[in-house]
Amino acid sequence: MADVLIIALATLCTLLPFWIAARQGLLAWVSPMHILGYFCGLGFLVKAVAYAAAPELAFYARFDPAPGASLVGAIYLGGFVALICLGYLLACRPQSVGAGVVAARGVASGVQHMGVLVAVALAVTVVTMAIILRARGMGIGDAGLIEGLNRAKQINVNADGVGATLAGIKTLFVIPKFAFVLCLAQTILQPRPMRVVMTLALAVALLGIALVSGDRFELVELTVYAIATHAILGGRMGWRQLALGLLPAAGIVLLSAYMTQLRLGAEGATILRQIIGSTYFLDFNVAVMVTGHVEPAQMLLGQSYGWWAFGWVPRDLWPDKPAIDLGVYFKREIMDVATGGAFNVTGPGEAFINFGWVGLAVAPVLGCGFRLGEAFLLDARRTARTGSAFLYPILFYPFVQACLQSSFSAFVVGAAAQLVLILLIRALFVRRLRWRAVPTERLSHA
């Protein structure tokens, strides 16, 4: 009976965000509510169904859960999702989607010196990859290079399980990512052969970044970059677009499966089985684990939301700097697992570790923030003046993802550095529009 209730709750939590997105979202397919729906579906509904059929697949089952723990975790996670939706709805205000499309198209058409931007982006990619390989003690010609990079994503620096992920140098990867979004936008509007070639070159560079980083979510982000850029420009997703997207989508799935095998070895689980038995996405396992294991003495009372204040200090200067990703604390102190690395703590998990059940109050704040951020970046006037809409896939989508799957402070530190680089690119290559120069008749047709 508990399994039926959990699956029903997971289904509701998956469908509700999509229903809200269809009526209130400002961006097709990848609005914050769409992202919430995708992450609920993969992290809650799919796992709930799988665990009902095969309980031994559950990640939380490794930690001797108490009877009824799964239902308690599901109730907490379901309440958190519902309150995110409530916060989003409370922040909704009328906003013209068509005007934003017109502004975004104007900005994309006015990007200057695209060839120079692409050349700089590719050069930064190559140099950054070389620095990462050197820091990891590897060379381009080393046997098993890619396998080694995917097996261990961090360099251990102390006995507390804290490691250096080279996040500082990886910040430079935002340059090819932002260049890809701008180049793709111009290619969508005017698909000239040279622009197509430059866009494909940047896409290959981003696939290389995913391999070197050993992070399969880089592949998810590449997909979101493409879909969000298409949506920002007012594109539709018809049968033709779906057919054109099948080949790259299949390639990304295959590459993700390949990276899974590199990490786990030939005897490792398939990517689907690993997703089901992990703490990825808006994870059901974490909700069960935190509601069942966090003691009042372990609650941080909001500390983790302020760790970004010291997170900017490089670990080279402060080798004993505490981890700003709450996943390390979750794994070692709460779940008592002494090995290195971390568990994805998720937004609901972080809230519970800080405040217990009172952490549900964090959810409407997140939902409100999701809507305000979406409306701010997609505002037509702001897009015309600053190109803000194109920051949505690069900075705001990762923010939503981090709030759902990871922890707040770990995102803020990297995002602040990335924003500086994005603003530099915008100042050099993106031409500002005069809003009054946008013809009114184009707004009515948008």
Side-chain angles (χ1 to χ4, degrees):
M1 184 62 181
D3 288 337
V4 174
L5 293 175
I6 292 171
I7 292 172
L9 183 58
T11 302
L12 178 62
C13 289
T14 301
L15 296 179
L16 179 61
F18 287 124
W19 181 80
I20 295 173
R23 284 154 180 77
Q24 299 291 342
L26 299 177
L27 195 64
W29 317 306
V30 286
S31 76
M33 288 295 100
H34 284 104
I35 302 302
L36 177 60
Y38 299 142
F39 274 55
C40 270
L42 291 168
F44 194 4
L45 179 56
V46 169
K47 293 180 181 182
V49 172
Y51 301 162
E56 70 278 4
L57 293 178
F59 187 84
Y60 68 79
R62 309 174 190 180
F63 302 99
D64 299 321
S70 58
L71 183 57
V72 173
I75 291 172
Y76 173 72
L77 182 55
F80 201 91
V81 172
L83 289 172
I84 288 178
C85 294
L86 176 62
Y88 182 89
L89 288 172
L90 291 175
C92 284
R93 299 292 183 274
Q95 185 164 320
S96 172
V97 175
V101 170
V102 172
R105 284 173 169 261
V107 170
S109 299
V111 177
Q112 308 172 85
H113 313 299
M114 183 60 76
V116 175
L117 175 58
V118 172
V120 169
L122 293 176
V124 167
T125 302
V126 172
V127 171
T128 305
M129 285 182 175
I131 293 173
I132 291 173
L133 292 179
R134 183 176 180 181
R136 297 285 296 270
M138 300 177 179
I140 295 178
D142 290 356
L145 170 65
I146 300 299
E147 182 178 359
L149 290 170
N150 280 267
R151 277 186 178 274
K153 297 189 340 183
Q154 70 174 24
I155 305 169
N156 290 329
V157 295
N158 62 33
D160 294 328
V162 178
T165 59
L166 305 175
I169 189 63
K170 288 179 182 178
T171 298
L172 294 173
F173 284 143
V174 78
I175 295 176
K177 291 175 180 179
F178 193 45
F180 172 76
V181 167
L182 295 178
C183 192
L184 176 62
Q186 278 203 344
T187 303
I188 290 172
L189 295 178
Q190 295 178 325
R192 297 173 183 171
M194 183 52 66
R195 287 179 181 169
V196 173
V197 170
M198 290 190 296
T199 303
L200 291 175
L202 289 169
V204 171
L206 296 187
L207 292 176
I209 289 172
L211 280 172
V212 169
S213 301
D215 189 351
R216 287 158 295 182
F217 266 89
E218 293 276 359
L219 302 177
V220 176
E221 289 181 0
L222 175 57
T223 305
V224 173
Y225 296 159
I227 295 174
T229 303
H230 186 60
I232 287 168
L233 298 176
R236 298 182 178 181
M237 192 66 76
W239 289 109
R240 180 181 177 184
Q241 288 77 14
L242 288 173
L244 289 173
L246 284 177
L247 184 59
I252 286 175
V253 171
L254 290 175
L255 182 58
S256 182
Y258 172 63
M259 292 172 68
T260 298
Q261 291 301 318
L262 289 175
R263 177 174 300 180
L264 301 178
E267 302 301 322
T270 64
I271 185 171
L272 179 60
R273 189 180 180 93
Q274 194 190 18
I275 288 174
I276 291 172
S278 70
T279 57
Y280 292 144
F281 305 105
L282 193 59
D283 184 58
F284 173 42
N285 294 281
V286 171
V288 177
M289 291 156 68
V290 294
T291 53
H293 288 81
V294 175
E295 301 293 338
Q298 296 172 314
M299 292 180 186
L300 299 176
L301 304 178
Q303 289 183 44
S304 74
Y305 294 109
W307 286 349
W308 58 268
F310 61 81
W312 57 271
V313 180
R315 200 168 292 280
D316 289 340
L317 300 179
W318 185 6
D320 293 325
K321 181 181 75 173
I324 61 171
D325 187 337
L326 186 58
V328 175
Y329 179 81
F330 176 41
K331 182 177 183 179
R332 294 182 62 85
E333 303 300 327
I334 294 176
M335 303 313 299
D336 198 27
V337 178
T339 56
F343 292 156
N344 290 320
V345 72
T346 75
E350 180 169 20
F352 197 95
I353 290 172
N354 277 280
F355 306 113
W357 283 90
V358 179
L360 287 171
V362 173
V365 177
L366 287 179
C368 181
F370 291 167
R371 176 60 182 200
L372 294 178
E374 177 188 27
F376 180 87
L377 293 177
L378 299 178
D379 175 73
R381 293 179 182 273
R382 188 168 290 105
T383 295
R385 292 196 302 266
T386 67
S388 60
F390 295 102
L391 271 66
Y392 185 96
I394 299 297
L395 284 182
F396 191 66
Y397 158 72
F399 167 72
V400 175
Q401 176 182 303
C403 288
L404 297 179
Q405 177 177 271
S406 185
S407 55
F408 180 78
S409 291
F411 169 80
V412 170
V413 174
Q418 290 176 354
L419 180 59
V420 173
L421 295 173
I422 288 174
L423 293 178
L424 177 61
I425 295 174
R426 192 188 68 184
L428 294 174
F429 296 99
V430 179
R431 180 171 59 89
R432 295 187 178 188
L433 300 180
R434 289 183 302 165
W435 176 249
R436 292 181 181 178
V438 178
T440 344
E441 62 271 14
R442 291 177 63 187
L443 294 178
S444 62
H445 286 303

